[in-house]
């Protein structure tokens, strides 16, 4: 690298260096170097004394880490998957650690990603050889699907004269979760059975809703007839009997 081209009269330069270098002489004015593109590995760049804050390394052994996929039906808890596969490790090298980041709680999908891999050489005292690799991280996919819920109008009842019930039987909800629906029925208020139809959106947040029609049975209202107390003198005719309803 030529010190003569690192003076104040020259703009910052971009330097390209081959991987075959065994030594390099750095200029005294490093501030005039914008970027060094080095075709070797990070380990090679460090051994040559290249400024790593300005150096981009394109060399190294290709390595791929693929994070696992996962799927489940919504249950109110996080879906996480910490599995992964590795391809491209040299003999004696092992993936000592890797960070898996990803979670999905509600219905939908998100990436399950890996990062910060550390690779060591077991044959050389577990020396860190991560910089000898060009690592590609392939994300997995986390998928949470809607939980089935049923809104059933089967078996609704009321007593004649009372208001209609406003709720049906809902099964499948988690915790305090709620969904929205309406009930409509055939007209009529006399004792008998009337068709009831629940309705609403099928997809509601974390739930997929099925609506089951049923009947509303109106039963007779209980009525009490109480005879009023009466008196008469012996030998007289019975008084007119009355009652209270």
């Amino acid at each position: 690298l030529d010190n003569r081209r690192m003076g104040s009269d020259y703009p910052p330069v971009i330097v390209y260096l081959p991987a075959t270098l065994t030594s390099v002489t750095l200029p005294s004015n490093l501030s005039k170097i914008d970027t060094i593109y080095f075709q070797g590995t990070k380990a090679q760049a460090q051994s040559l004394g290249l400024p790593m804050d300005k150096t981009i390394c394109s060399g190294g052994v290709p390595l791929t880490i693929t994070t696992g996929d996962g799927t489940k039906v919504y249950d109110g808890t996080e879906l996480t998957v910490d599995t992964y596969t590795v391809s491209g490790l040299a003999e004696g090298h092992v993936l000592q650690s890797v960070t898996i980041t990803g979670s999905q709680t509600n219905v939908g999908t998100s990436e399950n990603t890996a990062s910060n891999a550390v690779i060591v050489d077991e044959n050389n005292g577990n020396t860190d050889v991560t910089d000898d690799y060009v690592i590609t991280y392939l994300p997995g996919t986390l998928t949470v699907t809607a939980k089935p819920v049923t809104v059933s109008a089967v078996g609704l009842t009321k007593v004649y004269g009372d208001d209609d019930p406003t709720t049906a039987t809902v099964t499948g909800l988690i915790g305090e979760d709620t969904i929205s629906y309406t009930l409509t029925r055939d007209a009529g208020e006399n004792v008998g059975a009337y068709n009831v139809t629940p309705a609403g959106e099928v997809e509601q947040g974390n739930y997929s809703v099925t609506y089951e029609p049923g009947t509303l049975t109106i039963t007779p209202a209980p009525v009490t007839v109480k005879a009023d107390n009466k008196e008469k003198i012996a030998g007289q005719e019975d008084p007119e009997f009355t009652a209270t309803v």
Side-chain angles (χ1 to χ4, degrees):
L1 298 179
D2 191 348
N3 272 302
R4 292 174 298 174
R5 300 190 61 83
M6 299 298 173
S8 60
D9 295 335
Y10 293 92
V13 298
I14 296 175
V15 179
Y16 296 88
L17 298 177
T20 54
L21 285 177
T22 57
S23 65
V24 63
T25 300
L26 297 172
S28 57
N29 188 6
L30 289 177
S31 65
K32 298 302 292 184
I33 296 178
D34 183 73
T35 305
I36 298 174
Y37 290 97
F38 181 56
Q39 293 178 332
T41 67
K42 288 182 179 179
Q44 287 176 297
Q46 290 169 339
S47 69
L48 289 170
L50 296 179
M52 298 309 295
D53 60 332
K54 295 176 178 288
T55 302
I56 298 176
C57 300
S58 59
V61 179
L63 181 83
T64 301
I65 300 176
T66 304
T67 317
D69 299 325
T71 184
K72 73 171 183 177
V73 175
Y74 171 75
D75 63 2
T77 64
E78 287 186 340
L79 169 63
T80 59
V81 176
D82 59 5
T83 61
Y84 55 87
T85 58
V86 183
S87 61
L89 281 173
E91 184 177 354
H93 291 185
V94 296
L95 180 62
Q96 185 181 69
S97 64
V98 65
T99 301
I100 305 296
T101 304
S103 67
Q104 185 72 26
T105 300
N106 294 320
V107 168
T109 61
S110 61
E111 286 191 347
N112 194 31
T113 58
S115 62
N116 301 323
V118 176
I119 302 165
V120 298
D121 185 351
E122 287 188 321
N123 297 329
N124 190 23
N126 285 333
T127 301
D128 189 336
V129 292
T130 307
D131 288 341
D132 289 340
Y133 290 88
V134 176
I135 303 175
T136 299
Y137 296 100
L138 298 180
T141 303
L142 302 177
T143 303
V144 175
T145 59
K147 187 178 189 298
V149 166
T150 300
V151 177
S152 175
V154 173
L156 298 180
T157 63
K158 77 166 186 174
V159 175
Y160 173 77
D162 288 350
D163 293 333
D164 285 357
T166 58
T167 59
T169 300
V170 180
T171 56
L173 291 176
I174 300 292
E176 300 299 319
D177 289 352
T178 61
I179 59 171
S180 299
Y181 62 90
T182 59
L183 297 176
T184 58
R185 71 172 180 90
D186 294 344
E189 291 298 334
N190 292 325
V191 170
Y194 300 85
N195 293 324
V196 180
T197 303
E201 296 292 333
V202 174
E203 301 300 328
Q204 296 195 39
N206 294 313
Y207 298 98
S208 181
V209 187
T210 299
Y211 298 93
E212 183 179 8
T215 57
L216 170 67
T217 300
I218 301 178
T219 59
V223 173
T224 300
V225 178
K226 181 180 179 182
D228 298 328
N229 293 327
K230 300 290 182 177
E231 293 181 355
K232 76 169 186 175
I233 297 173
Q236 291 182 344
E237 293 182 353
D238 288 345
E240 179 182 354
F241 294 111
T242 59
T244 302
V245 179

